[in-house]
């Protein structure tokens, strides 16, 4: 384990310190090599990616079979849930011979995790070695998973750094981040926060509307970011503004986009506004699939070193033909304490037939669609706040069974909540505080308690019901 995991708990205190302390402290810390900060696992994964990046199909197949087997044996031996699940279908991980065998294992999904969290969790590790993480609420049901200290987050950093390297990223480059972070924790109503350890400028997504654009642009010009890290709905209005007003922000190498698909024309617009390429990728908190674009194409290259990815149709059968949409199902090669096996993500993609000209033999997908990710709340000023921006990596929904946003008027939103038996007045306070912090006075927010949220005709939970007239949606 590196020193990073020991410091993780102190992050909240650090962020509250004044900048004359955090700046030099952060700069010093940034100069410590990543392999020291994150431990030897960092270098191990770095080596794995660099040696395997251009492997042949045979090498990849052999790696996949070995790693899958190891992953399944771990789940069987250490997780009561998977031990029982495998036994119930007479599946023995010890006699695993290849990916065809995987099909014997039943799928799991978010509701499996919610119902069997304690049984899934391996008994091998003491609680103080675990980190408890809540996934984004964009799926309608937040899900909690456990990471092992010093493992999953370290691995994620290596893979994300590799993904960004394709866009020219060098560790320490300046990144301007517009991704739903609440910037102002001091109460000073500031739109910006600089974080010296990562050399990042955080910009408030919730204040990103037309009358503030000049201020945001000025700040970007001062900071001179090498990269913008954002998602389409957060940046698109500003991109339009930049083009309309013929603004030039120099020196951005790429716009790094994740978490959302692009509407037609959005990518081109962002590229034109910032005069550089967009690089996009797909990943999630359960860490079973990671796939991203490369230097040569905008197809997503699935990292075979990270997990095993399948696409399935509505009946649960594998989708193997290109161009047919299937649900992304992932098996994570890390997640040792909390195995993620044949996990239905609720996101969709299509296989791409050919290999990429970049020379990597990675499997390719495109048209990746998150089920809930394109839905937006429209503010009083007609700006958009996507559900991705609102995602709640926190504990505010711990005592909520399910929730749904309802919008009928611009600038007003109701959060409908189904309470669990543990729900208290305090939960209401926490939820209200958290949303008011994000919506400010752009969206009037209230809570309504209900017993049941009707599903769509296809049996899915809808995360936002919007009855706004079309004209409000721009
Ligand atoms: Zn490629």
């Amino acid at each position: 384990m590196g020193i990073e995991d020991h410091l993780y708990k102190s992050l909240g205190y650090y962020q509250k310190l004044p900048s004359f302390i955090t700046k030099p402290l952060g700069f010093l810390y940034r100069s410590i090599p990543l392999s020291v900060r994150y431990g030897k696992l960092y270098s191990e994964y770095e080596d794995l990616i660099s040696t395997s990046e251009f492997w042949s199909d045979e090498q990849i197949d052999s790696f996949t079979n070995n790693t899958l087997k190891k992953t399944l044996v771990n789940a069987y031996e250490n997780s009561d849930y998977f031990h029982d699940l495998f036994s119930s279908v007479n599946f023995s991980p010890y006699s695993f011979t290849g990916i065809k065998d995987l099909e014997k294992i039943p799928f799991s999904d978010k509701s499996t995790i919610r119902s069997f969290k304690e049984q899934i969790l391996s008994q091998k590790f003491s609680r103080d070695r675990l980190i408890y993480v809540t996934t984004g609420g964009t799926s309608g049901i937040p899900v909690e998973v456990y990471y092992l200290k010093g493992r999953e987050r370290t691995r994620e950093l290596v893979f994300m750094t590799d993904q960004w390297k394709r866009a020219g990223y060098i560790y320490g480059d300046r990144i301007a981040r517009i991704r739903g972070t609440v910037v102002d924790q001091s109460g000073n109503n500031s739109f910006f926060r600089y974080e010296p350890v990562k050399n990042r400028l955080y910009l408030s997504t919730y204040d990103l509307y037309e009358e503030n654009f000049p201020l945001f642009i000025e700040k970007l010009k001062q900071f001179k970011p090498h990269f913008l890290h954002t998602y389409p709905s957060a940046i698109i209005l500003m991109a339009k503004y930049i083009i309309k007003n013929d603004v030039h922000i120099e020196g951005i190498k790429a716009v790094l986009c994740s978490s959302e698909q692009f509407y037609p024309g959005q990518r081109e617009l962002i590229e034109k506004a910032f005069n550089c390429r967009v690089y996009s990728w797909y990943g999630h908190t359960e860490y079973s699939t990671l796939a991203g674009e490369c230097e040569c194409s905008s197809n997503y290259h699935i990292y075979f070193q990270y997990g095993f990815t399948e696409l399935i149709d509505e009946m649960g059968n594998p989708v193997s033909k290109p161009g047919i949409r299937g649900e992304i199902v992932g098996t994570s090669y890390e997640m040792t304490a909390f195995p993620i096996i044949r996990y239905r993500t609720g996101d969709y993609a299509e296989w791409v037939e050919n290999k990429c000209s970049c020379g990597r033999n990675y499997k390719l997908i495109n048209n990746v669609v998150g089920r809930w990710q394109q839905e937006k709340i429209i503010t009083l000023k007609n700006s958009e706040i996507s559900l991705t921006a609102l995602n709640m990596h926190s504990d505010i929904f711990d005592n909520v069974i399910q929730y749904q946003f309802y919008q009928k008027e611009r600038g007003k939103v109701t959060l409908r909540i189904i309470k669990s038996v543990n729900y208290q007045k305090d939960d209401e306070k926490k939820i209200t505080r958290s949303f008011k912090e994000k919506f400010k006075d752009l969206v009037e927010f209230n809570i309504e308690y209900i017993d049941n949220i009707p599903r769509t005709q296809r049996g899915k939970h809808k995360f936002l019901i919007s009855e706004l007239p079309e004209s409000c949606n721009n």
Side-chain angles (χ1 to χ4, degrees):
M1 196 190 300
I3 50 180
E4 195 83 4
D5 277 295
H6 295 290
L7 294 174
Y8 183 61
K9 279 186 193 155
S10 319
L11 192 65
Y13 300 110
Y14 168 78
Q15 285 173 347
K16 289 192 175 102
L17 291 171
S19 68
F20 71 88
I21 300 178
T22 55
K23 257 189 177 170
L25 212 63
F27 178 78
L28 274 177
Y29 188 65
R30 193 167 82 231
S31 56
I32 303 172
L34 289 171
S35 53
V36 176
R37 277 166 51 186
Y38 289 92
K40 74 173 191 323
L41 188 75
Y42 190 93
S43 327
E44 281 173 19
Y45 269 119
E46 235 181 3
D47 291 347
L48 171 64
I49 296 174
S50 63
T51 52
S52 64
E53 195 166 13
F54 296 100
W55 271 357
S56 66
D57 286 344
E58 292 71 30
Q59 285 173 301
I60 293 176
D61 287 348
S62 151
F63 173 88
T64 301
N65 289 338
N66 290 336
T67 317
L68 266 177
K69 184 169 182 173
K70 215 168 72 186
T71 303
L72 297 171
V73 167
N74 170 65
Y76 182 73
E77 292 182 350
N78 297 307
S79 158
D80 290 347
Y81 176 79
F82 284 105
H83 189 280
D84 294 350
L85 185 74
F86 292 0
S87 304
S88 73
V89 292
N90 288 323
F91 171 77
S92 165
Y94 305 109
S95 48
F96 180 84
T97 53
I99 52 172
K100 200 73 199 148
D101 292 345
L102 202 63
E103 288 175 24
K104 293 175 191 156
I105 303 172
F107 299 112
S108 56
D109 59 15
K110 289 183 172 65
S111 65
T112 318
I113 293 184
R114 255 179 106 85
S115 308
F116 300 103
K117 194 170 64 185
E118 292 308 309
Q119 293 93 319
I120 292 171
L121 181 63
S122 163
Q123 299 309 313
K124 208 165 85 176
F125 305 99
S126 60
R127 293 270 162 164
D128 62 354
R129 292 188 61 193
L130 303 170
I131 303 172
Y132 184 63
V133 188
T134 307
T135 68
T138 49
S139 56
I141 312 171
V143 168
E144 297 92 15
V145 298
Y146 289 96
Y147 296 158
L148 264 179
K149 284 182 186 168
R151 301 281 325 181
E152 283 81 5
R153 290 184 316 120
T154 299
R155 178 182 82 142
E156 195 64 10
L157 183 70
V158 181
F159 278 90
M160 282 323 305
T161 306
D162 185 71
Q163 175 61 43
W164 290 3
K165 265 188 204 161
R166 297 178 189 169
Y169 173 75
I170 301 163
Y171 178 75
D173 277 353
R174 286 185 299 280
I175 296 177
R177 190 174 147 111
I178 312 173
R179 284 182 55 81
T181 317
V182 173
V183 163
D184 185 15
Q185 289 169 332
S186 62
N188 292 332
N189 210 17
S190 162
F191 301 156
F192 314 104
R193 175 162 55 85
Y194 174 66
E195 204 293 289
V197 172
K198 292 181 173 152
N199 205 8
R200 285 181 188 172
L201 179 72
Y202 293 88
L203 298 93
S204 171
T205 320
Y206 309 100
D207 297 292
L208 206 55
Y209 44 84
E210 190 146 353
E211 63 196 65
N212 286 338
F213 287 157
L215 191 66
F216 274 72
I217 288 165
E218 199 43 48
K219 192 75 187 174
L220 285 176
K221 283 183 172 175
Q222 278 169 17
F223 182 62
K224 298 187 176 61
H226 299 104
F227 296 93
L228 290 187
H229 183 199
T230 184
Y231 38 69
S233 72
I235 201 77
I236 198 72
L237 289 180
M238 188 151 96
K240 283 182 191 166
Y241 176 93
I242 285 173
I243 293 170
K244 197 171 105 194
N245 292 283
D246 198 25
V247 175
H248 297 276
I249 305 174
E250 306 296 333
I252 298 177
K253 291 191 209 169
V255 177
L256 308 168
C257 272
S258 67
S259 309
E260 281 180 342
Q261 77 178 126
F262 294 95
Y263 280 132
Q266 282 190 334
R267 171 189 285 267
E268 294 75 11
L269 223 125
I270 296 169
E271 292 184 337
K272 189 174 169 200
F274 296 100
N275 195 25
C276 62
R277 206 193 120 174
V278 164
Y279 278 79
S280 181
W281 68 92
Y282 167 82
H284 46 234
T285 318
E286 296 88 341
Y287 286 170
S288 65
T289 294
L290 181 69
E293 299 179 5
C294 76
E295 306 83 348
C296 309
S297 102
S298 59
N299 290 320
Y300 286 16
H301 300 47
I302 298 174
Y303 277 103
F304 70 87
Q305 310 92 330
Y306 185 94
F308 184 71
T309 301
E310 304 167 73
L311 296 185
I312 58 162
D313 65 19
E314 289 200 349
M315 305 300 292
N317 298 316
V319 170
S320 47
K321 283 191 186 148
I324 296 174
R325 178 173 288 189
E327 185 175 353
I328 299 173
V329 172
T331 297
S332 177
Y333 291 160
E334 200 49 71
M335 299 302 281
T336 323
F338 197 83
I340 297 287
I341 313 273
R342 292 205 94 199
Y343 179 73
R344 293 178 71 146
T345 58
D347 301 321
Y348 294 81
E350 297 169 15
W351 291 120
V352 174
E353 185 158 25
N354 299 323
K355 290 280 171 63
C356 185
S357 59
C358 67
R360 297 178 186 90
N361 276 320
Y362 296 20
K363 282 188 197 160
L364 304 175
I365 47 174
N366 64 14
N367 297 328
V368 178
V369 188
R371 203 183 272 176
W372 314 110
Q373 291 170 343
Q374 284 292 306
E375 294 172 285
K376 293 179 186 76
I377 288 166
I378 309 298
T379 72
L380 211 56
K381 291 182 189 287
N382 224 15
S383 58
E384 300 174 343
I385 297 179
S386 77
L387 298 187
T388 318
L390 288 175
N391 87 15
M392 294 290 150
H393 287 268
S394 72
D395 59 1
I396 61 165
F397 287 119
D398 274 1
N399 296 319
V400 168
I401 294 172
Q402 202 157 50
Y403 62 101
Q404 181 179 59
F405 292 96
Y406 173 73
Q407 183 166 36
K408 198 175 170 184
E409 260 179 78
R410 204 176 69 190
K412 276 189 183 173
V413 76
T414 301
L415 181 67
R416 296 165 162 173
I417 283 177
I418 304 178
K419 296 188 263 188
S420 80
V421 286
N422 299 323
Y423 192 91
Q424 307 279 339
K425 201 77 196 154
D426 245 19
D427 292 298
E428 181 178 303
K429 275 190 203 156
K430 270 200 289 188
I431 293 169
T432 307
R433 198 185 318 125
S434 169
F435 280 105
K436 290 207 162 154
E437 213 172 41
K438 295 193 167 184
F439 288 139
K440 299 196 175 157
D441 47 5
L442 289 176
V443 179
E444 197 182 303
F445 172 80
N446 66 68
I447 292 177
E448 179 185 309
Y449 296 103
I450 52 173
D451 297 325
N452 178 36
I453 294 176
R455 288 180 172 262
T456 63
Q457 277 184 333
R458 296 180 66 205
K460 288 174 181 159
H461 174 76
K462 213 153 161 28
F463 194 72
L464 169 69
I465 304 285
S466 182
E467 290 179 3
L468 283 175
E470 212 37 38
S471 60
C472 286
N473 284 306
N474 278 338

